[in-house]
Amino acid sequence: MNEAGRKSLWVGLFGCIATCLTPAALAATSPGFNVGSANVAIADPAVPRPPGKACTVELFNGFTFRDFSNHPYTYAPPVGCGTSWSKVVLEADFAVTAGRQFDRTASLWLGGANIYFGTTQEPSASVAPSWHIERDVSDFASLLGQPQTGQAILGNIVDGTYTGVISGSARLVFYPANILAPKIDAPDAVYPLSDGTAGGTVALNTGSDVLSRTLTLPTNVERAYLDVFAQGQGGDEFWYTCVPDAQASQAQSCGGGSYREVQVSIDGQQAGVAPVYPWIFTGGIDPYMWRPTPGVQTLNFLPYRMDLTPFAALLNDGKPHALAIGVTGANGNFAVTGNLFVHLDRGRKVVTGAMTANTLQGQAAVATVDNQLTDTGGVVGGSIATKASRSFRIAGYVDTSRGRIVTDVNQTVSFRNTQTFAIDPTRYQQGIDQLSTVDSTTKTRQGPLGITLTTEIHFDYPLVASFGNTFDSAGNTVSAPSAVTQGFSRQFSKRLGHLLIYRSDVDNSIDTADTLNFTNGAVSGHTGQRSTQQFRFKDNLGSCYGRDVTTASGLLTAATDGGGCSQARNRLLWFTHPDGAPDTSRTEDPGVF
């Protein structure tokens, strides 16, 4: 970033504190929900918007999804909004008619790049749910500056049994840069890792399968980031419930074990790892638990971002490089995709440098398993505990037009999953206590003074679940109680030397339960449905967001804003990412200082 760009960023970030905390720049303080409604209700915040008039470009309107055909669309840049934008937001609306239908995976693509990934809400015989999603897509500005083709992928079946018809519309909303909302420092290029030029996820059925793409990048890359998605499907939809093959029969559970981890490599050299988020679809475990509030991120997944900047010197050599994504433990299957974002040195056509450390290379993705299951006369009890953890350092430098920039990434990625079982002639009960964590510290040093920018990120992906069946004397299922507590938390901080520049905290959690009742082997009803979703966001610049959504018996019972905020009021600066999504263009870019 040049001097003018740095000045614009600081004015935008810190000068805005005095001028941007106005009603136009704040999120709505009223939830706007209808208590007593059975329609979708989530606590997640909308994407904060910058001040100024916006331009909207429609991607598609009124698509209906009745089969597994893809739905193409075309895109042209906005007219009357210039080419300098402060923010670009994807908005989409979906609905499904009342009836019977599975949850379905939905994804939107542009120029082969994924711009949205999530799943759908299941309907009921009397409820036709509709929902709205938003995503900050400012990082795709280089792609959005040119006409593109895209497609919506949402496979569905409509027949005499599965009657729910899914429909959807999507648009991009552009906010021109202005004095209060400067132009984004967006990546200069986006390279999709998807299923062909039109886009699409790639299925990885085993731990040795990879999504690999060979890319030849510009010779002046100075920063690089990879966003990855890994969604469990089929035999891996409930991967967190699986046990080692040797215990699968005894535990009456899926085999393959519970350890899953995303692996990224460049030319076969290990380049990064990521935890797999345990998304639960709206038909998962017990569909009634997720009506009307689905699980964390169920309708709108967040990617995990890897900093590949230490590899910039390697990627800059003008040669083709194979970038690959795999999932350790994949067992049929994971839907995987990714986007590589690169920032270029505008002052130099060729940037040289070197990688100086990579202790991840050669580390095996191995978990330890402690099997404490017992079987006494057909009564099974005990636990199976799976653990994995590894720490690594990857470092490198590039000699840019502004001097040498050194990037040093240190991470510890940990996983634990403990499953308990109680199995006898009267019941089958399985409990899960799982936690994935990431502790990441990136230090970036530039110039002869060696001032260090330190970026620290901590992730927690907790999942606690219990489910099972009770049986009568004939062995027939009588009831199936289930309960889930699921969360996503992220703590971010950035310091220049000892000066704290930015800190944000995100916490998104849901606690839900229900009991299915059975008659003659079939579900005849359910009781005790209740859920509470709680979302919290706060940063050191004055932003604060809190929302609690409570449901019972499939209906919204309460929605309260401002939890954890002063005067119980939500306040979001437009350049923040309260959902916890990664960002290279504003406050959370390790390369900006």
Side-chain angles (χ1 to χ4, degrees), residues 405-448:
I405 300 177
V406 180
T407 302
D408 196 322
V409 179
N410 286 267
Q411 287 191 347
T412 297
V413 181
S414 300
F415 171 86
R416 65 166 175 81
N417 173 292
T418 300
Q419 301 187 46
T420 56
F421 295 87
I423 307 171
D424 61 42
T426 67
R427 61 174 176 162
Y428 175 93
Q429 186 70 34
Q430 183 176 0
I432 299 167
D433 186 353
Q434 177 174 293
L435 178 65
S436 296
T437 64
V438 177
D439 286 287
S440 177
T441 300
T442 299
K443 293 186 176 182
T444 305
R445 188 173 68 254
Q446 177 180 335

Side-chain angles (χ1 to χ4, degrees), residues 520-539:
N520 297 324
V523 176
S524 55
H526 72 105
T527 57
Q529 187 280 328
R530 52 89 181 161
S531 73
T532 299
Q533 185 194 1
Q534 187 177 82
F535 201 108
R536 297 288 186 269
F537 170 80
K538 184 175 289 187
D539 70 12

Side-chain angles (χ1 to χ4, degrees), residues 4 33 42 57-58 66 119 132 135 213 258 274 331 334 359 378-379 401 429 460 484 523 534 536 549 557 560 567 586:
F33 294 130
I42 61 173
V57 176
E58 184 177 272
R66 297 172 174 268
T119 61
H132 176 82
R135 183 179 175 192
R213 294 291 177 264
S258 61
N331 194 28
F334 272 85
T359 64
V379 176
S401 59
Q429 186 70 34
D460 282 323
V484 171
V523 176
Q534 187 177 82
R536 297 288 186 269
V549 172
T557 57
T560 306
Q567 300 179 343
R586 291 290 177 195

Side-chain angles (χ1 to χ4, degrees), residues 145-189:
Q146 303 294 327
Q148 305 287 347
T149 58
Q151 62 179 350
I153 301 178
L154 202 165
N156 192 25
I157 295 175
V158 179
D159 56 23
T161 301
Y162 301 104
T163 58
V165 179
I166 302 172
S167 60
S169 302
R171 57 209 162 271
L172 292 167
V173 184
F174 294 79
Y175 294 86
N178 58 59
I179 191 171
L180 294 180
K183 180 183 177 181
I184 51 179
D185 179 40
D188 295 289

Side-chain angles (χ1 to χ4, degrees), residues 58-61 63-65 67-75 90 92 94 105-118 135 143 147-155 168-172 192-202 213 337:
E58 184 177 272
L59 296 179
F60 59 88
N61 185 31
F63 276 1
T64 58
F65 303 93
D67 53 30
F68 276 78
S69 62
N70 297 340
H71 291 59
Y73 50 83
T74 59
Y75 161 81
L90 170 70
F94 295 97
T105 295
S107 58
L108 302 181
W109 306 81
L110 199 64
N114 178 263
I115 58 173
Y116 162 71
F117 198 5
R135 183 179 175 192
L143 191 73
Q148 305 287 347
T149 58
Q151 62 179 350
I153 301 178
L154 202 165
S169 302
R171 57 209 162 271
L172 292 167
L193 278 73
S194 58
D195 187 18
T197 57
T201 60
V202 173
R213 294 291 177 264
T337 188

